[in-house]
Amino acid sequence: VAPTAGQVRYNGDNILRVAPHRRPCYTLLQNPMDTLGTQKHKGDGIEEGGLTVAESLFEAWRDTSPLRLATHPEVVLKPLCGRLAAMGISPIRPIDDPFWMKPVASLSGGEAHCVAAYCAILSNAAVLLADEPTTGLDEENFQKLMALLRAISRKRIVLLTSHDTRISPLADRSFVVGGGQIRLNDEHERTQ
């Protein structure tokens, strides 16, 4: 949420000018387009044209910070596919599919949710914040995203907010927020 006045700074950087994937925690938002890099940033300005899927993935790939945006998608797709394979997950499309060079803004909702989760995987952020990540997903895409979140949660902390009760089995602990209170969902704890 952009402030109406002033700035939000973290370690001296104006957080609103720092791309989401460069922030201390990685965040998956309800609208995946708010998570993905839909615009190319250059210095303090925004370059014309949106990022492709491969470029958005590359920007989230913190391990290779000395490298700049890849002109060949396989630079980031091979490591992504390797990480997905280690998690027991197949990528949404084969490496040689033109899908990876599509503009992020042209993705369907299910595709965008998957790509946003791939960015979280590549980011290596220790904490993943997921706010209503299943909103608008059909059952097939819901299952794909749940598999990705389950795999991510094996090695990282995942904090997830949702009204979608289908997510409950994913949680080690769940809390109910309402009426000015936050309380442990004892029913969920008994089923684990």
Side-chain angles (χ1 to χ4, degrees):
V1 175
T4 55
Q7 296 180 350
V8 179
R9 293 192 166 277
Y10 180 82
N11 283 342
D13 294 325
N14 181 347
I15 207 94
L16 297 177
R17 293 183 181 253
V18 176
H21 51 271
R22 298 275 185 227
R23 294 178 186 165
C25 294
Y26 198 87
T27 307
L28 289 177
L29 299 171
Q30 182 173 344
N31 177 355
M33 292 305 173
D34 292 338
T35 298
L36 296 171
T38 56
Q39 296 179 318
K40 295 182 184 182
H41 291 266
K42 191 171 189 176
D44 284 342
I46 294 177
E47 206 175 288
E48 287 301 312
L51 291 176
T52 66
V53 173
E55 289 171 333
S56 193
L57 291 169
F58 194 88
E59 281 295 313
W61 195 24
R62 293 181 185 199
D63 297 5
T64 59
S65 58
L67 299 173
R68 289 313 328 138
L69 280 177
T71 55
H72 301 288
E74 65 271 7
V75 170
V76 70
L77 295 179
K78 285 182 182 177
L80 170 65
C81 290
R83 289 185 189 185
L84 290 172
M87 296 175 171
I89 296 171
S90 298
I92 193 171
R93 302 280 171 79
I95 289 179
D96 59 352
D97 193 296
F99 166 81
W100 304 104
M101 297 312 292
K102 284 175 70 171
V104 169
S106 71
L107 299 178
S108 71
E111 291 170 336
H113 279 283
C114 279
V115 171
Y118 291 170
C119 287
I121 290 167
L122 287 171
S123 76
N124 278 338
V127 178
L128 172 64
L129 307 173
D131 180 33
E132 300 283 355
T134 61
T135 299
L137 291 181
D138 59 24
E139 188 60 28
E140 179 184 352
N141 284 310
F142 172 84
Q143 293 302 329
K144 285 180 188 175
L145 185 61
M146 285 300 90
L148 286 166
L149 289 174
R150 194 173 289 110
I152 292 169
S153 70
R154 287 186 198 119
K155 301 243 179 190
R156 305 180 198 184
I157 296 169
V158 176
L159 299 173
L160 192 139
T161 62
S162 184
H163 291 91
D164 190 340
T165 57
R166 297 177 297 169
I167 288 179
S168 294
L170 181 67
D172 292 328
R173 268 195 191 122
S174 67
F175 296 85
V176 176
V177 178
Q181 297 180 357
I182 300 173
R183 63 185 188 282
L184 180 65
N185 183 353
D186 291 331
E187 182 179 317
H188 175 76
E189 288 295 302
R190 285 193 296 268
T191 63
Q192 295 298 309

